[in-house]
């Protein structure tokens, strides 16, 4: 019998189990919260009884037949997909899965250059050879924002045996591009389109949000439910609707990559997030968007930055980007916000991103008023101070790596100083985090521009993920 979106199969199953006041002679070791340090019991006590394992009646994520299957099926029905899988390892495990499901060692795969590091990790694990397509720099956003149909056409025309096209949509700042013609063109080659839609789980709400890649025909779409929906951190969705990739292949790699002890609170939060999304009314969405509009209007009163406009069905209205005017440093502005206990999502050299949610945050708006009123003199004092400028990095539009990751695995690597590294093959990926988009990718040839950009990020205090002991002095390279 068909289930209703008003049901919460997994959450209710867990709740019924907790209400029965069971005695735990199974893992986990806290025994439904009975055994726990007193220092944390007040905080954790309400959730520990729900932190269960695959006992009778609670289903099994890796062989879902009842409550978990019903919750996943309801999510697939809401999104209009062939199947939806719950992920407890974030969009990272979804990205790994979707790429491993289409790639074998030596295969070519077309990849948007400014992708998340998990995409590159997946390609390395697959031993594939990426062909990068660099987005077009958009003056309006101040970022590499747009993948064009013509660039993907060229990449496919010159690499017709590619196993997939991998795209990021929207970008971290909620900005989208015209992805549907790209999907349609790839399908002419019988090539699946895999989309990292980490920040777009709510796009199925429709106007004024951009369209979801799910509704536009992408084959596999992975979404970080925890980023924009009320789900717990690491809780994500993988949607599949494809004649090129089978559900069985996806299920196999999820079985390999996901924990054999998946978190029931995380999975239940996905059930609840789906329920929340299904019941969010147009009137509530309108109120939320108006509230974010009020935050935008208040922030726009400051003379130190511009609030980038949110174009309907192009930009996510829940993302607020402050583009710094001359002399202002986004990091310094972020620190002023944080002193008032307002924590933005991230700061680049010249942009500060604030993410609102699918609700009304009156306290947050009040605190932004406070920042602009009480801290305006501090913000103005930051203007004109020395600011590190990082110029645009003009990658080639279409650029394959010199070697496949399968070939790289057979080559030796070692750490060397920067002055000897230019022109060599990078042996590690260098990634500012957030947003998790690599500056330098393992397997790329190192240019002096890479060094300049990395040194500038280090000088400005940007958190960078890398493998070397001292990135300021050198990095790992691969010997050809």
């Amino acid at each position: 019998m068909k289930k209703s979106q008003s049901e919460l199969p997994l959450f209710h199953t867990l709740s019924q189990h907790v209400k029965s006041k069971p005695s735990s002679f199974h893992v986990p070791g806290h025994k439904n919260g009975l055994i726990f340090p007193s220092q944390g019991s007040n905080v954790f006590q309400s959730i520990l009884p729900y932190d269960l394992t695959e006992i009778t009646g609670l289903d099994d994520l890796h062989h879902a037949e009842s409550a978990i299957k019903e919750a996943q099926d309801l999510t697939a029905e809401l999104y209009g997909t062939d199947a939806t899988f719950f992920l407890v390892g974030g969009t990272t495990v979804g990205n790994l899965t979707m790429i491993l499901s289409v790639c074998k060692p030596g295969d070519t795969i077309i990849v948007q250059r400014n992708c998340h590091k998990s995409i590159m990790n997946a390609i390395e694990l697959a031993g594939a050879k990426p062909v990068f397509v660099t987005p077009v720099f958009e003056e309006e956003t101040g970022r590499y924002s747009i993948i064009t149909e013509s660039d993907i056409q060229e990449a496919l025309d010159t690499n017709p045996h590619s196993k997939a096209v991998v795209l990021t949509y929207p970008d971290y700042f909620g900005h989208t591009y015209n992805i549907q013609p790209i999907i349609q063109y790839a399908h002419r080659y019988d090539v699946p389109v895999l989309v990292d839609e980490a920040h777009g789980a709510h796009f199925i709400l429709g106007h004024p949000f951009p369209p979801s890649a799910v509704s536009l025909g992408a084959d596999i779409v992975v979404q970080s439910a925890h980023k924009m929906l009320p789900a717990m951190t690491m809780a994500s969705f993988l949607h599949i609707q494809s004649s090129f990739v089978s559900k069985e292949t996806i299920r196999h790699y999820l079985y390999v990559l996901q924990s054999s002890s998946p978190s029931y609170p995380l999975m239940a939060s996905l059930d609840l997030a789906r329920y929340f999304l299904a019941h969010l009314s147009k009137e509530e969405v309108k109120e939320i968007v108006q509230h974010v509009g009020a935050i935008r209007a208040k922030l726009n009163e400051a003379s130190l930055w511009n609030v980038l406009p949110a174009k309907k069905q192009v930009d996510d209205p829940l993302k607020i980007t402050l583009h710094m005017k001359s002399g202002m440093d986004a990091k310094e502005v972020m620190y002023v916000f944080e002193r008032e206990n307002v924590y933005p999502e991230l700061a680049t050299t010249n942009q500060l991103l604030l993410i609102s949610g699918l609700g009304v945050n009156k306290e947050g708006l009040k605190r932004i008023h406070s920042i602009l009123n009480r801290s305006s003199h501090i913000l103005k004092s930051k203007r004109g101070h020395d600011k590190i400028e990082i110029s645009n990095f003009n990658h080639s539009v279409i650029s394959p790596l010199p070697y496949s990751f399968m070939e790289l695995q057979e080559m030796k690597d070692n750490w060397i100083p920067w002055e000897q590294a230019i022109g060599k093959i990078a042996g590690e990926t260098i990634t500012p985090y957030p947003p998790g988009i690599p500056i330098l990718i393992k397997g790329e040839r190192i240019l002096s521009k890479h060094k300049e950009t990395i040194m500038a990020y280090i000088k400005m205090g940007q958190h960078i993920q890398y493998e070397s002991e001292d990135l300021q002095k050198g990095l790992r390279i691969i010997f050809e």
Side-chain angles (χ1 to χ4, degrees):
M1 192 169 82
K2 193 173 182 181
K3 291 278 184 179
S4 161
Q5 289 294 334
S6 295
E7 297 190 40
L8 284 160
L10 181 53
F11 177 69
H12 283 158
T13 297
L14 292 180
S15 298
Q16 288 301 117
H17 181 79
V18 171
K19 285 177 184 175
S20 72
K21 298 182 180 179
S23 291
S24 170
F25 285 86
H26 56 76
V27 298
H30 58 68
K31 304 301 176 185
N32 299 340
L34 180 67
I35 306 168
F36 207 74
S38 59
Q39 292 85 345
S41 59
N42 288 342
V43 175
F44 285 89
Q45 197 58 52
S46 64
I47 196 67
L48 289 175
Y50 292 84
D51 185 30
L52 295 159
T53 191
E54 295 88 347
I55 56 177
T56 302
L58 298 189
D59 208 0
D60 177 357
L61 178 64
H62 295 293
H63 188 73
E65 296 179 299
S66 54
I68 296 173
K69 181 182 186 301
E70 290 169 13
Q72 292 183 145
D73 288 349
L74 281 171
T75 308
E77 181 186 295
L78 179 66
Y79 280 88
T81 60
D82 295 340
T84 294
F85 296 93
F86 284 0
L87 308 178
V88 294
T91 289
T92 292
V93 78
N95 286 343
L96 293 171
T97 295
M98 71 180 183
I99 288 172
L100 288 170
S101 70
V102 299
C103 275
K104 299 291 184 291
D107 284 345
T108 298
I109 186 168
I110 296 169
V111 187
Q112 183 171 328
R113 174 61 180 74
N114 58 342
C115 63
H116 190 264
K117 62 176 183 172
S118 59
I119 298 286
M120 293 312 308
N121 290 339
I123 294 170
E124 181 175 356
L125 286 173
K129 185 171 185 178
V131 173
F132 295 118
V133 179
T134 301
V136 175
F137 184 79
E138 195 175 18
E139 293 291 342
E140 195 173 0
T141 64
R143 300 187 303 275
Y144 290 89
S145 303
I146 298 173
I147 289 287
T148 66
E149 181 186 0
S150 60
D151 286 342
I152 295 294
Q153 284 181 2
E154 183 181 345
L156 280 166
D157 291 347
T158 52
N159 298 277
H161 300 297
S162 298
K163 297 301 180 180
V165 173
V166 185
L167 302 173
T168 303
Y169 172 103
D171 68 9
Y172 209 107
F173 295 78
H175 189 68
T176 66
Y177 53 89
N178 191 10
I179 194 174
Q180 189 169 35
I182 295 173
I183 295 169
Q184 292 170 343
Y185 193 83
H187 285 172
R188 290 183 207 166
Y189 278 94
D190 292 339
V191 170
V193 177
L194 318 180
V195 180
D196 177 352
E197 195 175 81
H199 288 260
H202 57 306
F203 283 0
I204 60 161
L205 288 170
H207 183 85
F209 300 101
S212 171
V214 172
S215 62
L216 297 177
D219 295 85
I220 305 175
V221 178
V222 185
Q223 299 169 333
S224 296
H226 65 94
K227 282 185 165 60
M228 302 304 297
L229 303 184
M232 292 177 69
T233 297
M234 294 203 304
S236 294
F237 298 134
L238 184 151
H239 306 288
I240 180 169
Q241 48 182 9
S242 180
S243 58
F244 306 116
V245 189
S246 72
K247 286 185 287 185
E248 289 70 28
T249 304
I250 291 292
R251 190 177 286 111
H252 166 72
Y253 281 105
L254 288 176
Y255 180 83
V256 170
L257 295 168
Q258 293 223 85
S259 170
S260 59
S261 300
S263 165
Y264 274 83
L266 261 64
M267 292 187 287
S269 79
L270 286 171
D271 195 19
L272 287 159
R274 182 270 313 159
Y275 176 93
F276 173 87
L277 196 61
H279 289 83
L280 201 60
S281 69
K282 289 184 179 180
E283 291 73 23
E284 288 171 319
V285 170
K286 185 177 180 181
E287 183 184 4
I288 291 162
V289 173
Q290 286 174 344
H291 170 69
V292 180
I295 297 174
R296 287 176 173 277
K298 187 61 188 175
L299 288 166
N300 238 340
E301 292 175 9
S303 60
L304 306 173
W305 54 67
N306 293 316
V307 179
L308 295 189
K311 291 183 180 178
K312 289 180 180 179
Q313 297 198 289
V314 173
D315 295 295
D316 183 354
L318 302 183
K319 302 288 183 77
I320 305 170
T321 303
L322 310 184
H323 190 92
M324 301 298 124
K325 291 185 178 178
S326 178
M328 287 303 299
D329 187 319
K331 281 271 186 184
E332 293 292 339
V333 173
M334 183 174 73
Y335 297 147
V336 172
F337 275 60
E338 289 176 348
R339 278 200 288 271
E340 294 286 341
N341 286 322
V342 172
Y343 289 84
E345 172 68 13
L346 68 87
T348 66
T349 54
N350 60 356
Q351 292 186 340
L352 186 70
L353 174 63
L354 296 90
I355 302 179
S356 191
L358 286 167
V360 173
N361 182 1
K362 292 180 180 178
E363 179 60 28
L365 178 56
K366 196 187 304 182
R367 290 191 178 190
I368 286 172
H369 275 265
S370 173
I371 290 169
L372 299 184
N373 293 336
R374 290 171 47 197
S375 303
S376 58
H377 64 288
I378 300 174
L379 287 165
K380 286 175 183 174
S381 72
K382 303 292 182 186
R383 191 167 189 168
H385 286 204
D386 289 341
K387 178 187 171 187
I388 300 166
E389 296 287 351
I390 299 179
S391 58
N392 296 333
F393 200 142
N394 295 314
H395 293 277
S396 301
V397 176
I398 298 173
S399 52
L401 290 185
Y403 304 96
S404 71
F405 279 107
M406 182 175 66
E407 293 169 317
L408 292 174
Q409 289 170 8
E410 302 300 318
M411 300 163 77
K412 293 182 179 180
D413 67 340
N414 203 357
W415 185 94
I416 64 170
W418 273 108
E419 54 266 25
Q420 300 173 26
I422 307 305
K424 302 289 195 303
I425 300 294
E428 60 181 306
T429 296
I430 313 297
T431 308
Y433 200 91
I437 296 168
I439 299 170
L440 178 64
I441 293 171
K442 181 178 180 178
E444 278 190 304
R445 200 166 293 282
I446 302 167
L447 307 176
S448 57
K449 182 64 179 175
H450 286 122
K451 178 188 174 184
E452 292 168 18
T453 304
I454 291 166
M455 292 303 113
Y457 273 117
I458 291 172
K459 191 174 179 182
M460 69 179 281
Q462 171 73 47
H463 177 67
I464 301 176
Q465 296 177 338
Y466 56 93
E467 297 172 25
S468 295
E469 289 185 11
D470 191 347
L471 186 60
Q472 204 156 357
K473 293 181 180 178
L475 78 167
R476 299 193 72 78
I477 62 102
I478 292 173
F479 295 104
E480 296 180 79

